[in-house]
Amino acid sequence: MTAAIIDGKAFAANLRAKVGELAAAFEAEAGRKAGLAVVLVGEDPASQVYVRSKGKQTVEAGMASFEHRLPAETPEADLLALVEQLNTDPAVDGILVQLPLPGHMDEQKVISTINPDKDVDGFHVISAGRLAVGQPGFVPCTPLGCLMLLKDRLGSLSGLDAVVIGRSNIVGKPMAQLLLAESCTVTIAHSRTQNLPEVVRRADIVVAAVGRAEMVKADWIKPGATVIDVGINRVPAAEAGKTRLVGDVDYAGAMDVAGAVTPVPGGVGPMTIAVLLRNTLVAAYRNAGLELAADAI
Ligand code: NDP
């Protein structure tokens, strides 16, 4: 048996196109563009790449992008003042502070300064609380992207056994909440879980968000299961001095057992920014007091 490949790249492109159409409709109705502000502190190379592609894709979707780059030694108070200013700026619907922040800054404090109605990253404790109790709010982009791929593949998830490996606040925990809200029976596994292969073998849905190259082996996977690989790990390539990206799942092995698998790269990765744009559009409609049909996006 060969598993189906879940094409996150194509799904994300469709989602961005849909956001683009709705962003044009929003502009016509509201008389302004939906706007996303991205704040980058310091010169972390990976963060610079992310911020650049976020800005580019925001503009391509027909929304306004406001980039704020601050030097690494910026006092925390200055960053907080910028966030406060963005909170009250009517042109800004979504605020994203790129993590990690330099060591002298308290990330939690910075995130809790963001107005929860502009928290398009979904990292604010109020966003986490809203997700936990089932109120409308913002859900972190990566797990929401995983859920979209799962629903596209499987339709209803009700009653399915789901195992999420990883319990971080940005992936594992919100992923588990989303699956629970879809009426899955959810297990959250982590570094202290005993008999992890056995736990994973029960699952109709496996979401691996660990950060360990190819940890999940083919014989951990229930035949026909749907496997979502969030992991991004850089490992040495066959060619000397080169590296390549792999996920948390042994992809080649999983292809022989699973029903469907996301590749790395090209699976979950492209979904994250597409969902960020989607969240920004939803924020824009809410902030402008305009209706967006629940099933619009
Ligand atoms: P964290 O490091 O915050 O969390 C990793 C989790 O994995 C922890 O809960 C940890 O358990 C668990 N874990 C570690 N070792 C094991 C083990 N041997 N067995 C079982 N569980 C284990 O990572 P993130 O959640 O931030 O990210 C996870 C992966 O997803 C990374 O590879 C990251 O690069 C990738 N990622 C990809 C994104 C994308 O856009 N595609 C976005 C975000 C992340 P414990 O809590 O006990 O320590």
Side-chain angles (χ1 to χ4, degrees):
M1 191 173 94
T2 302
I5 296 170
I6 298 175
D7 188 346
K9 202 172 163 191
F11 191 99
N14 280 335
L15 180 58
R16 287 197 305 271
K18 220 185 291 173
V19 170
E21 284 166 25
L22 289 166
F26 174 83
E27 189 177 351
E29 232 181 311
R32 66 171 181 86
K33 285 185 193 288
L36 173 65
V38 178
V39 182
L40 174 63
V41 187
E43 267 125 48
D44 178 69
S47 295
Q48 284 183 328
V49 173
Y50 293 142
V51 165
R52 209 174 307 127
S53 20
K54 283 168 186 170
K56 185 167 166 271
Q57 293 187 31
T58 302
V59 171
E60 278 168 8
M63 305 198 281
S65 166
F66 307 101
E67 268 182 46
H68 297 266
R69 289 165 185 269
L70 306 178
E73 60 281 5
T74 302
E76 186 185 78
D78 291 9
L79 174 60
L80 296 177
L82 172 60
V83 172
E84 298 278 13
Q85 181 207 315
L86 297 171
N87 281 342
T88 55
D89 185 340
V92 172
D93 296 295
I95 302 170
L96 181 152
V97 178
Q98 185 66 45
L99 302 180
L101 289 170
H104 66 283
M105 291 185 174
D106 177 348
E107 290 189 350
Q108 272 314 317
K109 191 171 167 190
V110 173
I111 290 166
S112 21
T113 307
I114 297 173
N115 174 351
D117 295 329
K118 296 190 177 188
D119 176 36
V120 286
D121 241 350
F123 294 165
H124 197 294
V125 284
I126 290 187
S127 301
R130 285 174 174 164
L131 174 61
V133 299
Q135 284 178 8
F138 294 107
V139 177
C141 303
T142 302
L144 183 54
C146 294
L147 185 76
M148 288 178 178
L149 295 177
L150 282 167
K151 288 174 79 168
D152 182 58
R153 169 82 200 157
L154 297 170
S156 168
L157 309 184
S158 178
L160 296 180
D161 254 307
V163 171
V164 178
I165 319 175
R167 56 172 163 180
S168 72
N169 290 335
I170 62 165
V171 190
K173 279 185 206 158
M175 187 73 244
Q177 292 284 6
L178 287 168
L179 291 166
L180 186 59
E182 295 294 327
S183 299
C184 291
T185 304
V186 182
T187 303
I188 307 177
H190 46 76
S191 67
R192 308 293 171 90
T193 297
Q194 293 181 11
N195 301 325
L196 184 59
E198 252 169 64
V199 171
V200 174
R201 235 172 260 136
R202 289 204 300 261
D204 304 303
I205 294 171
V206 181
V207 180
V210 181
R212 286 179 171 247
E214 300 176 324
M215 183 186 85
V216 176
K217 305 298 177 206
D219 65 358
W220 298 19
I221 295 168
K222 177 171 159 177
T226 304
V227 179
I228 304 290
D229 191 349
V230 185
I232 302 176
N233 310 288
R234 200 164 276 286
V235 297
E239 201 181 327
K242 293 263 161 89
T243 58
R244 64 190 175 100
L245 290 184
V246 297
D248 290 342
V249 177
D250 165 17
Y251 181 71
M255 285 298 290
D256 291 336
V257 188
V261 188
T262 59
V264 177
V268 174
M271 291 299 291
T272 300
I273 298 183
V275 175
L276 173 69
L277 303 180
R278 179 255 175 217
N279 282 356
T280 303
L281 183 82
V282 171
Y285 270 90
R286 283 187 199 150
N287 294 341
L290 296 172
E291 274 298 316
L292 179 66
D295 59 352
I297 192 150

